[in-house]
Amino acid sequence: LPRMKDPANWPSKLERPIFILDVMSGHIDICEILIFISKTDDLIAGIESKKVDIHSSRLDLTLNTISLNFTDCGVIEKLMELELSGAGGLKVKGWLEGPTGKLVANQKEDDTGKSLNFNISHGATYELICAVFARDRQLSRIQNFSIHVPQELKARHKKKYGTSVPLAALVQSEGRPLSLNFDIGK
């Protein structure tokens, strides 16, 4: 644990044994321990690094919906999924802020909590506000994500993708360099 950047954030010598006893007695959720571990080493990606995956997220032109998928955060997320396998796993919950206000995600029967689906209007700009939850408790906020849905899709996108267009194509068509596509929404 010596890699933590700011020692002032470490618990005092009196609090450390209490933390260890809480862990051993089962009073602290395993997910909280995994989040703590991810914050102690820069090489371990934590759940807070989860963001919208613009390559697997899609805009459906026939249904006027957007399906937002999220990146995988590595070993910490896999361990959390294993711990939560009997309790529903990790879920992403959120909403879109748009020109008409707050849009709630569409619920599906087979909702696994790994993606969010919304009804949208063409020509509008939306901002996603969401977080990762486990056992109905918020573990981490996901960075807000903004997307502008074009009024009319370019002919080359219709020809290449049909009616299901990846968000990466929309972001690239806005004139942003490819290197900025991964930092969208910051």
Side-chain angles (χ1 to χ4, degrees):
L1 300 179
R3 289 188 178 186
M4 190 141 185
K5 292 181 181 176
D6 186 7
N9 290 335
W10 281 89
S12 70
K13 289 181 181 181
L14 178 63
E15 292 172 334
R16 284 184 209 154
I18 294 170
F19 175 76
I20 292 168
L21 289 174
D22 279 346
V23 170
M24 292 172 57
S25 65
H27 287 107
I28 295 182
D29 187 3
I30 297 296
C31 292
E32 297 291 336
I33 296 168
L34 291 170
I35 289 171
F36 177 78
I37 290 170
S38 72
K39 292 179 187 273
T40 61
D41 193 336
D42 292 337
L43 299 176
I44 300 174
I47 200 78
E48 66 277 354
S49 64
K50 194 171 208 55
K51 59 185 175 181
V52 173
D53 184 350
I54 61 172
H55 299 286
S56 67
S57 297
R58 296 230 174 285
L59 173 65
D60 189 319
L61 300 172
T62 55
L63 298 175
N64 287 338
T65 60
I66 191 166
S67 177
L68 300 170
N69 297 317
F70 299 89
T71 58
D72 182 30
C73 296
V75 69
I76 294 292
E77 183 176 2
K78 285 179 179 52
L79 289 170
M80 284 184 183
E81 284 290 352
L82 183 63
E83 169 64 23
L84 298 166
S85 61
L90 292 173
K91 294 190 183 289
V92 176
K93 297 179 183 180
W95 67 89
L96 283 180
E97 291 285 339
T100 59
K102 181 178 175 179
L103 296 175
V104 179
N106 301 333
Q107 297 296 321
K108 293 183 176 182
E109 287 181 22
D110 61 342
D111 188 18
T112 61
K114 305 296 180 212
S115 66
L116 296 173
N117 300 294
F118 299 94
N119 296 327
I120 49 97
S121 300
H122 293 279
T125 299
Y126 296 95
E127 184 170 17
L128 175 69
I129 292 92
C130 62
V132 179
F133 287 79
R135 297 184 184 114
D136 291 325
R137 281 191 8 226
Q138 181 178 323
L139 294 178
S140 179
R141 278 256 313 164
I142 296 177
Q143 186 176 32
N144 290 2
F145 176 79
S146 297
I147 182 74
H148 175 74
V149 180
Q151 184 67 37
E152 184 74 25
L153 201 61
K154 293 181 180 179
R156 66 184 170 109
H157 290 314
K158 286 181 184 175
K159 183 178 178 183
K160 185 174 182 178
Y161 302 110
T163 61
S164 181
V165 181
L167 292 187
L170 297 177
V171 171
Q172 291 171 4
S173 69
E174 292 175 3
R176 291 189 175 112
L178 184 58
S179 63
L180 292 179
N181 288 344
F182 301 105
D183 297 325
I184 191 122
K186 282 190 174 180

